[in-house]
Amino acid sequence: MRLFQSLAYATVISSVVLLSACSSQNDKNENQSTDQSKQSSEAVMKELKTKPIQNFASTPQDAADITLLDEYQEKFDAMNEALEADLEKMDQAGTLTEEIDQQRKRDSIQSALNMLKELDLKTEQGRYIQGLLYQYWENQAKSFDSKTDTKDQDNNPAESVRGMSDLLSAEAQLDNWKTKTTK
């Protein structure tokens, strides 16, 4: 989950920087820019709002499901680090093309979805977290596909954090579950 937290924080910071840049328009467009910036800021905040922690009854399978979710995260992090290293090597060698970069990133999203589908979680809380994570990655796939289909590369701050609330909610729920389970 640390990678996701780092990604979430980096996305939030870049969104804030983008919002700041948007608000520094010339005097003629200042009112329009301020309105757009405010709307964009509200959209970003909506996307970052986490769901309340849900209470679930304790079960004998809690520890096993927590372990499976942690293993999923470790496997995904390892796969993602290998992907980044591979892309960096290709870039340094001059063999990285936009198409390869896009395909690898899309493959990474699809791998996250596939790994989540394969989890055999026994608890309601585990499946809830799995669903939040799946929804996040499904939103990332849709967003990624729409960007590559339309070649829309304008960095809309709200778009860059789309679905982040699902990820943040899943992390908060899992952290809360771990805390309750270890007591």
Side-chain angles (χ1 to χ4, degrees), residues 11 25 31 57 61 72 74 77 93 99 119 140 159 163 165:
T11 302
Q25 299 290 326
N31 287 340
Q61 294 87 16
Y72 153 78
E74 289 170 11
D77 288 348
E99 293 79 27
L119 290 178
Q140 293 302 300
E159 188 64 32
S165 66

Side-chain angles (χ1 to χ4, degrees), residues 97-109 138-155 159:
T97 65
E98 181 69 25
E99 293 79 27
I100 291 173
D101 184 54
Q102 295 300 315
Q103 185 57 47
R104 296 282 175 94
K105 289 176 181 175
R106 181 64 172 99
D107 290 347
S108 177
I109 293 169
E138 203 168 57
N139 283 333
Q140 293 302 300
K142 288 176 187 172
S143 177
F144 185 83
D145 290 344
S146 71
K147 283 181 186 175
T148 55
D149 287 347
T150 62
K151 301 295 183 209
D152 179 19
Q153 299 304 322
D154 69 345
N155 291 321
E159 188 64 32

Side-chain angles (χ1 to χ4, degrees), residues 58-64 123:
S58 214
T59 72
Q61 294 87 16
D62 285 356
T123 64

Side-chain angles (χ1 to χ4, degrees), residues 4-72:
F4 291 129
Q5 288 171 335
S6 296
L7 230 108
Y9 296 134
T11 302
V12 170
I13 289 170
S14 65
S15 296
V16 169
V17 169
L18 287 171
L19 288 173
S20 296
C22 288
S23 65
S24 64
Q25 299 290 326
N26 63 30
D27 290 343
K28 182 179 178 182
N29 295 327
E30 191 170 313
N31 287 340
Q32 181 183 6
S33 177
T34 302
D35 290 343
Q36 288 174 345
S37 181
K38 183 178 178 183
Q39 290 172 347
S40 183
S41 179
E42 289 170 358
V44 167
M45 294 310 293
K46 180 182 175 189
E47 289 296 331
L48 295 175
K49 185 176 181 181
T50 59
K51 295 171 177 62
I53 298 293
Q54 301 293 312
N55 291 315
F56 293 89
S58 214
T59 72
Q61 294 87 16
D62 285 356
D65 276 8
I66 289 171
T67 299
L68 287 174
L69 287 165
D70 283 342
E71 287 173 356
Y72 153 78

